[in-house]
Amino acid sequence: MKTKSYLLLTALGFLSSSLFAQDYLVSTPNTSLLIEATPGETVKIQYYGSKIENSDIQGIYDVGMVFNADSYPAFGLQTMGEKAIAATQPDGNMSLDLKIEQVKQYPTKDGEVTEILLKDKVYPFEIKQYYKAYQGTDIISTWIEIMNNGKKSVTLYRFVSAYLPVQRGDNWLTHFHGHWGAENMLEEEKLTNGQKVISNKDGMVNTETDNPSFMLSIDGKPQEEYGHILGGTLAWTGNYLLKMDITNTKLNIIAGINEENSHYKLEPKETFKTPEFAMTYSTSGKGGVSRAFHRWARMYKLSHGNVERDILLNSWEGVYFKVNQEGMDQMMKSFSALGGELFVMDDGWFGNKYSRDRGDSSLGDWTVNKKKLPLGIEGLIASAKKTQD
């Protein structure tokens, strides 16, 4: 009887949680994110995966599939575990107690946005959490706006873009690492308990060694065309941090600006906006993740992304620094005969006083090297026009 009573109470607990909570679905054609956002409470992510409908939500609660994980945990009243935001108030207090004030869902020209306003219970401090489902894609993005409505400055010590729970299982991480001349080399590894961090502190050179993107498998070593995989990328060109926080039963992804030595003084009435973090969920392996991001990038991030590009040849791999008039003419002629449409002359053409023959010379001497190109750029233009005749 005790076991039955316990099971009954547990079931009733799930039932009441779903009945009295306010749930919001953020959906794309093939994926859904379920957010529980009840005024006066914290925001919780309950589900992210293959698409579900409103009629499926109760079943998600009933079978215990929910994460019940805070979507943006704040440092202060709860100090265990990784946090998404940490700030010091003008009086030195480091605690935040952010509760939901309002939730709005509205369409935009390129998708649908869910906007959640949270206010601190003591201080004039607010954040807005955004989730955006991009129209015609399987990409959902998220970002944060942090607002200081007080009369004195507040110091931000952590301000991530995304805090996302993932199903714990046979999880594998796919990411890209490299160096000059060997950028974006794919690496895959099984995730074990602890933390896995991908970070960069090189400023503007932020993708030469590591890349602010990843794929995370749910059900074993990732395959190209099958398997459940979550993909994510941070739209940020500065120092970044991607962290996987893993225990026996939980896995959380924390993504955003690398806060090390980057605290930010938020002045009165100022708003700080974090970079956008974009994510997708695939049941078709790594290929499904790649195709989703490529479609999104073409539709919304690249200039004229859906316009067919010219067929291009770059001179670098053919001649490196050994640029000369005859060689460029021959490359353009041969390439044009194959159907080529655009030729790019790469490094090695400049440095009239200090010849550009290696990678550590001539920068700043942006004049055409007359020994290499006696007819100048005009001579190359004339040669290019001849290939069109």
Side-chain angles (χ1 to χ4, degrees), residues 81-148:
E82 289 288 331
K83 302 303 176 187
I85 185 169
T88 299
Q89 301 294 335
D91 61 2
N93 195 330
M94 297 177 64
S95 296
L96 288 173
D97 190 10
L98 298 167
K99 302 299 183 184
I100 299 168
E101 183 78 12
Q102 185 183 47
V103 182
K104 295 189 292 185
Q105 287 188 307
Y106 50 87
T108 63
K109 64 179 181 179
D110 53 1
E112 182 172 278
V113 171
T114 300
E115 176 187 314
I116 307 169
L117 173 64
L118 299 100
K119 292 185 177 182
D120 188 83
K121 296 182 72 173
V122 176
Y123 294 95
F125 187 88
E126 302 176 358
I127 73 167
K128 286 183 179 179
Q129 189 170 26
Y130 293 89
Y131 292 95
K132 180 176 182 178
Y134 279 88
Q135 183 177 348
T137 77
D138 279 321
I139 300 296
I140 295 173
S141 74
T142 182
W143 68 95
I144 301 292
E145 290 182 357
I146 305 171
M147 295 155 283
N148 176 12

Side-chain angles (χ1 to χ4, degrees), residues 15 22 54 61 70 100 104 141 145 170 173 210 230-231 252-253 257 271 281 300 340 348 372 377-378:
L15 184 62
Q22 294 187 20
N54 283 313
Y61 282 97
D70 284 349
I100 299 168
K104 295 189 292 185
S141 74
E145 290 182 357
D170 188 9
L173 175 68
D210 280 291
L230 183 149
N252 292 311
I253 297 171
I257 295 173
T271 297
Y281 187 89
Y300 297 111
K372 295 183 178 183
I377 301 299
E378 294 78 9

Side-chain angles (χ1 to χ4, degrees), residues 95-333:
S95 296
L96 288 173
D97 190 10
L98 298 167
K99 302 299 183 184
I100 299 168
E101 183 78 12
Q102 185 183 47
V103 182
K104 295 189 292 185
Q105 287 188 307
Y106 50 87
T108 63
K109 64 179 181 179
D110 53 1
E112 182 172 278
V113 171
T114 300
E115 176 187 314
I116 307 169
L117 173 64
L118 299 100
K119 292 185 177 182
D120 188 83
K121 296 182 72 173
V122 176
Y123 294 95
F125 187 88
E126 302 176 358
I127 73 167
K128 286 183 179 179
Q129 189 170 26
Y130 293 89
Y131 292 95
K132 180 176 182 178
Y134 279 88
Q135 183 177 348
T137 77
D138 279 321
I139 300 296
I140 295 173
S141 74
T142 182
W143 68 95
I144 301 292
E145 290 182 357
I146 305 171
M147 295 155 283
N148 176 12
N149 294 323
K151 297 180 179 180
K152 295 182 179 180
S153 62
V154 174
T155 303
L156 304 178
Y157 289 96
R158 175 170 285 192
F159 31 85
V160 307
S161 295
Y163 193 102
L164 184 68
V166 179
Q167 180 183 335
R168 186 70 171 104
D170 188 9
N171 304 112
W172 285 67
L173 175 68
T174 301
H175 61 108
F176 302 91
H177 183 82
H179 55 83
W180 183 88
E183 297 87 350
N184 278 328
M185 305 300 290
L186 185 145
E187 296 192 3
E188 292 182 333
E189 57 190 292
K190 181 180 175 65
L191 290 178
T192 57
N193 292 335
Q195 291 188 336
K196 172 68 179 182
V197 176
I198 301 171
S199 67
N200 186 280
K201 303 175 187 177
D202 297 334
M204 295 298 290
V205 193
N206 77 328
T207 59
E208 186 175 83
T209 53
D210 280 291
N211 190 283
S213 62
F214 64 89
M215 299 184 201
L216 186 64
S217 74
I218 309 300
D219 51 2
K221 190 172 183 178
Q223 304 298 320
E224 188 63 27
E225 294 299 336
Y226 66 88
H228 295 252
I229 295 183
L230 183 149
T233 187
L234 183 70
W236 181 243
T237 57
N239 295 351
Y240 59 83
L241 182 141
L242 306 174
K243 181 183 291 185
M244 286 71 185
D245 187 32
I246 312 146
T247 68
N248 284 328
T249 58
K250 295 180 180 180
L251 197 167
N252 292 311
I253 297 171
I254 302 103
I257 295 173
N258 192 330
E259 74 275 9
E260 186 173 341
N261 299 322
S262 297
H263 65 271
Y264 186 85
K265 184 172 285 188
L266 191 65
E267 300 295 343
K269 310 305 177 184
E270 184 183 2
T271 297
F272 179 88
K273 182 179 179 180
T274 70
E276 183 180 30
F277 176 78
M279 56 191 177
T280 190
Y281 187 89
S282 165
T283 58
S284 302
K286 293 183 290 186
V289 171
S290 295
R291 290 187 289 273
F293 274 116
H294 290 170
R295 180 179 178 84
W296 170 70
R298 288 195 303 270
M299 291 180 67
Y300 297 111
K301 298 301 177 180
L302 295 177
S303 179
H304 310 294
N306 286 313
V307 176
E308 192 173 275
R309 270 26 181 195
D310 289 338
I311 302 172
L312 179 149
L313 175 67
N314 187 295
S315 69
W316 178 251
E317 300 293 345
V319 298
Y320 295 102
F321 292 109
K322 297 178 181 178
V323 169
N324 60 70
Q325 182 78 44
E326 182 180 356
M328 297 298 97
D329 288 351
Q330 185 59 51
M331 289 181 79
M332 286 190 286
K333 182 178 180 180

